[in-house]
Amino acid sequence: MRTKKKNVMRTPEEKEAIVLEYLNDKRPSYRKTADKYGIAGSTFRKWKKAYLEFGIEGLKSQTGKAKHPGKGNHLSGLHLKKNKTKEEELELENLKLKLEVARLKKGYQVKGVGSKKEYVTIKDLNTKS
């Protein structure tokens, strides 16, 4: 019975050494190599495939990285940045206005700030009597 090991973040160089040990073994075994280093077999297979396809670059951690670069919101976190360029300030203002328009289309608006923020329905305000 296998025991579950604590998740250990390894550097690309450590991963490469493990993969190369496997590849240089005369009788390679995924399970033997994975068990020796406390790695899940599926994880080790991914490392091997990534190494054979992309070299050491393929072994760099993807934790926290967008799976599809360019498809995420490149403006996320911009409001936290202290020294914004004029272009970044305009992009942020534009984003805020787009959000306001989307909310108005859905029939509500936001009043207040922080914990005092409330969402007010405006359907009754927009209809003619």
Side-chain angles (χ1 to χ4, degrees):
M1 182 176 162
R2 289 193 212 156
T3 58
K4 191 170 183 176
K5 304 272 182 174
K6 183 180 176 201
N7 187 18
V8 176
M9 294 297 289
R10 300 187 197 286
T11 65
E13 291 78 14
E14 290 172 315
K15 293 176 187 178
E16 180 183 39
I18 295 169
V19 171
L20 288 174
E21 180 182 320
Y22 168 83
L23 293 173
N24 292 328
D25 195 345
K26 292 183 196 277
R27 295 181 52 196
S29 164
Y30 279 117
R31 176 170 279 176
K32 184 176 87 174
T33 306
D35 286 348
K36 178 178 177 181
Y37 292 99
I39 306 165
S42 59
T43 300
F44 180 65
R45 283 185 190 88
K46 288 177 190 174
W47 290 0
K48 179 186 162 247
K49 181 180 178 190
Y51 183 75
L52 292 175
E53 194 169 337
F54 303 107
I56 197 162
E57 288 295 313
L59 297 176
K60 289 187 177 176
S61 175
Q62 297 300 310
T63 303
K65 307 281 190 309
K67 296 230 185 251
H68 305 287
K71 291 190 177 186
N73 184 359
H74 69 283
L75 298 175
S76 64
L78 184 59
H79 65 286
L80 300 174
K81 188 175 175 185
K82 292 196 188 286
N83 300 323
K84 296 180 206 62
T85 64
K86 187 68 175 168
E87 182 180 342
E88 289 172 333
E89 287 177 11
L90 291 171
E91 283 182 335
L92 189 57
E93 183 181 350
N94 191 19
L95 180 64
K96 288 178 182 179
L97 291 171
K98 284 180 180 181
L99 282 170
E100 186 178 352
V101 168
R103 287 182 178 133
L104 290 170
K105 284 181 180 178
K106 289 186 176 186
Y108 71 94
Q109 65 186 128
V110 180
K111 298 218 176 186
V113 183
S115 63
K116 297 184 182 194
K117 187 185 298 184
E118 61 179 308
Y119 298 91
V120 181
T121 304
I122 58 171
K123 284 187 177 181
D124 297 332
L125 301 175
N126 286 342
T127 57
K128 293 182 180 178
S129 301

